[in-house]
Amino acid sequence: MPDYQELLLTAMAAARETAGRGRVADYIPALATADPNAFGMALATVDGDLYGVGDWEQPFSIQSVSKLFSLALVLAHGGDAIWRGVGREPSGNPFNSLVQLENEHGIPRNPFINAGALVVTDRLQSLTGDAAGAVRDFLRQESGNPLLDTDPAVAASEAGHGHRNAALAHFIASHGNLENPVETVLDRYYAHCSLAASCRDLALAGRFLARHGLRADGSRLMSCSEAKRINAVLLTCGAYDAAGEFAYRVGLPGKSGVGGGIVAILPERAALCAWGPSLDEVGNSVAAVAALDAFTTASGWSVF
């Protein structure tokens, strides 16, 4: 059996070497207070074992990591219909770009840029009646943490500074690609992006993708094929406009967020979550990328 704890300690050492690099997200004021030197990492195996190092049980704002779970729930509830309203290609542009959306007539390039996540949130709202509640409840159930919830201060901060997201949503709606009122979609989007969870919680919650669609209780959330396809989109689109660099360094499907978290999937082995609030110029955690790079280098495990 591999020594997962030793691998995590190796990864943490690599993360500590990045101290002083990057900067904490400040375009959402409520995120600017995060400790730039914080770091945590957790690993949840498909067999039910759990390992962690550093600040692995400290909650943080998951931000765009939530887009992984909203997409999974839409596919689980509504099947492939979502792909009529959003693509599956890397964007090549910043995650909040308006230009690309205009050129492509209100069809976002992929579900992990902001425009695509708004469409996914809209469809999840139609399917469940409460998109944010559906994501929250899924994370609570998979992590076993009943206290996991939206941070209202972060949600309010996002809403108060969300002019670009509002512009994206109105533009998408102008092309008939939203089913619900713009205000509802934005509110639910901010609520699920503002969920506070720890590395522990997110590693456990992401484990269904390492288990080919099986949930923690053994029930099936989605088919093996659907889980494979989510992992494929994570690999090509999950790290903002640096998905190629992430695939090159880490070699795993992963989803990052400007709160500093990254969830990565080791199919048939485990789900990982690394967190460090200091971000590079694209919006990915400097420490978390370094840790995941060190982990896959030391272990020799990747999807390649």
Side-chain angles (χ1 to χ4, degrees), residues 15 37 41 54 69 101 104 112 117 139 145-146 149 173 186 210 217-218 271 297:
N37 297 313
M41 190 169 183
F69 301 106
L101 188 63
E104 297 180 358
F112 298 141
L139 292 180
N145 178 6
D149 210 345
L186 288 170
D217 63 3
T297 299

Side-chain angles (χ1 to χ4, degrees), residues 67-298:
K67 297 171 183 176
L68 155 61
F69 301 106
S70 59
L71 176 63
L73 291 171
V74 165
L75 288 170
H77 285 84
D80 285 346
I82 184 62
W83 302 123
R84 293 196 289 269
V86 62
R88 298 187 292 268
E89 297 296 332
S91 67
N93 281 298
F95 59 85
N96 58 357
S97 172
L98 283 158
V99 174
Q100 191 168 67
L101 188 63
E102 183 170 9
N103 289 340
E104 297 180 358
H105 311 292
I107 304 294
R109 185 66 67 88
N110 69 66
F112 298 141
I113 55 175
N114 288 17
L118 288 166
V119 173
V120 172
T121 299
D122 172 69
R123 302 303 194 269
L124 187 58
Q125 182 70 21
S126 295
L127 289 165
T128 67
D130 181 4
V135 176
R136 178 201 62 211
D137 291 348
F138 179 81
L139 292 180
R140 285 179 175 179
Q141 291 158 10
E142 295 304 291
S143 69
N145 178 6
L147 301 180
L148 192 155
D149 210 345
T150 293
D151 183 329
V154 176
S157 187
E158 289 203 49
H161 295 80
H163 305 300
R164 180 69 65 101
N165 287 326
L168 289 168
H170 281 291
F171 193 85
I172 295 166
S174 76
H175 282 274
N177 198 16
L178 288 185
E179 298 171 352
N180 296 281
V182 166
E183 294 75 16
T184 300
V185 175
L186 288 170
D187 178 73
R188 299 295 81 198
Y189 173 74
Y190 295 140
H192 72 67
C193 286
S194 299
L195 287 162
S198 66
C199 292
R200 171 201 174 277
D201 298 330
L202 292 174
L204 288 168
R207 197 171 44 166
F208 75 97
L209 286 174
R211 301 180 71 205
H212 302 298
L214 289 180
R215 298 187 60 168
D217 63 3
S219 65
R220 182 161 290 284
L221 177 68
M222 58 181 56
S223 69
C224 294
S225 179
E226 287 169 331
K228 175 199 75 174
R229 290 169 178 168
I230 291 180
N231 279 330
V233 181
L234 284 172
L235 183 68
T236 57
C237 305
Y240 301 127
D241 193 24
E245 179 69 10
F246 188 79
Y248 179 83
R249 289 185 62 185
V250 176
L252 297 175
K255 184 71 198 85
S256 61
V258 296
I262 302 178
V263 170
I265 307 301
L266 276 162
E268 300 184 352
R269 284 187 181 270
L272 291 154
C273 181
W275 168 62
S278 291
L279 311 178
D280 61 21
E281 64 277 4
V282 179
N284 294 320
S285 168
V286 176
V289 172
L292 291 165
D293 181 359
F295 183 94
T296 54
T297 299

